[in-house]
């Protein structure tokens, strides 16, 4: 017999959203909402959804600060690592190269970076942060701790450190 394609009824008023009764009758489900069960079974799905939620929050936060996430990361890397080519910025920050061109164009128009031809390679440009870019980064960086506290408020400081360590391990950026 084929599974039913009819929609599930809406939860009863006053009941928890996404929960179904669990009385053993045919068609009843556990009380755990479906996504919670799915996330427990599929860490890949949970990580994708968590990543999307944090990315949306970061973009909303960045819009409020006036410096997008991509431009913020570029200014941060240039400030900490020094002048870099757009290709190196793209590779290190894992931002698509065509997107990186647009980010650098916008930062250059705003006076936050300058691009200069690399000696010996007429096709390559070294991107350098300007004093105005450093000032803009410093302003944006002051808002980061509050954003992180808001975004990860459900985690204890120890859990945040553990999450950071595990994500580094998953991404292959740390040894532990």
């Amino acid at each position: 017999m084929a599974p039913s394609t009819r929609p599930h009824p809406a939860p009863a008023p006053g009941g928890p959203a996404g929960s179904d009764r669990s009385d053993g009758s045919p068609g009843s489900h556990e009380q755990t909402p479906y996504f919670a069960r799915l996330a427990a079974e599929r860490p890949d799905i949970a990580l994708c959804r968590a990543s999307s939620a944090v990315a949306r929050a970061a973009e909303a936060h960045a819009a409020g600060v006036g410096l997008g996430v991509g431009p913020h990361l570029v200014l941060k890397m240039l400030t900490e690592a020094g002048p870099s080519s757009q290709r190196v910025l793209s590779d290190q920050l894992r931002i698509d190269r065509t997107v990186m061109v647009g980010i650098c164009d916008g930062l250059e128009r705003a006076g936050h970076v300058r691009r200069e031809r690399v000696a010996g390679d007429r096709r390559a440009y070294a991107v350098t942060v300007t004093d105005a870019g450093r000032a803009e980064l410093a302003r944006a960086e002051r808002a980061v701790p509050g954003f992180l506290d808001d975004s990860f408020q459900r985690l204890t400081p120890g859990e945040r450190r553990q999450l950071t360590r595990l994500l580094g391990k998953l991404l292959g950026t740390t040894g532990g």
Side-chain angles (χ1 to χ4, degrees):
M1 181 191 309
S4 171
T5 58
R6 62 190 169 95
H8 293 282
S19 68
D20 293 318
R21 68 191 199 297
S22 183
D23 58 10
S25 62
S28 69
H29 300 282
E30 296 175 23
Q31 294 232 342
T32 304
Y34 178 75
F35 186 76
R37 292 192 321 259
L38 178 64
E41 295 169 9
R42 296 281 308 270
D44 59 323
I45 300 296
L47 185 58
C48 286
R49 295 304 184 267
S51 176
S52 293
V54 172
R56 282 191 307 274
E59 286 298 338
H61 169 79
V65 172
L67 184 65
V69 172
H72 185 143
L73 294 175
V74 168
L75 290 177
K76 187 170 179 68
M77 181 174 164
L78 291 173
T79 299
E80 293 179 7
S84 297
S85 71
Q86 289 177 188
R87 182 190 55 76
V88 169
L89 288 166
S90 178
D91 291 347
Q92 289 290 310
L93 296 173
R94 296 181 171 129
I95 295 174
D96 182 86
R97 289 181 185 182
T98 58
V99 173
M100 183 58 70
V101 170
I103 289 172
C104 288
D105 286 348
L107 287 170
E108 189 173 41
R109 276 192 304 275
H112 296 147
V113 300
R114 68 178 177 276
R115 289 187 270 201
E116 299 164 336
R117 292 225 184 256
V118 173
D121 186 351
R122 294 177 6 138
R123 295 173 300 163
Y125 287 91
V127 182
T128 305
V129 67
T130 63
D131 289 340
R134 281 186 190 79
E136 182 67 9
L137 175 64
R139 187 182 66 75
E141 284 284 296
R142 286 191 291 275
V144 169
F147 163 72
L148 293 174
D149 288 344
D150 290 346
S151 295
F152 297 100
Q153 64 184 320
R154 293 181 178 173
L155 301 178
T156 66
E159 288 170 332
R160 280 174 61 174
R161 285 189 299 276
Q162 182 181 22
L163 177 63
T164 299
R165 185 183 60 75
L166 291 171
L167 290 172
K169 187 174 182 178
L170 186 63
L171 293 169
T173 59
T174 63

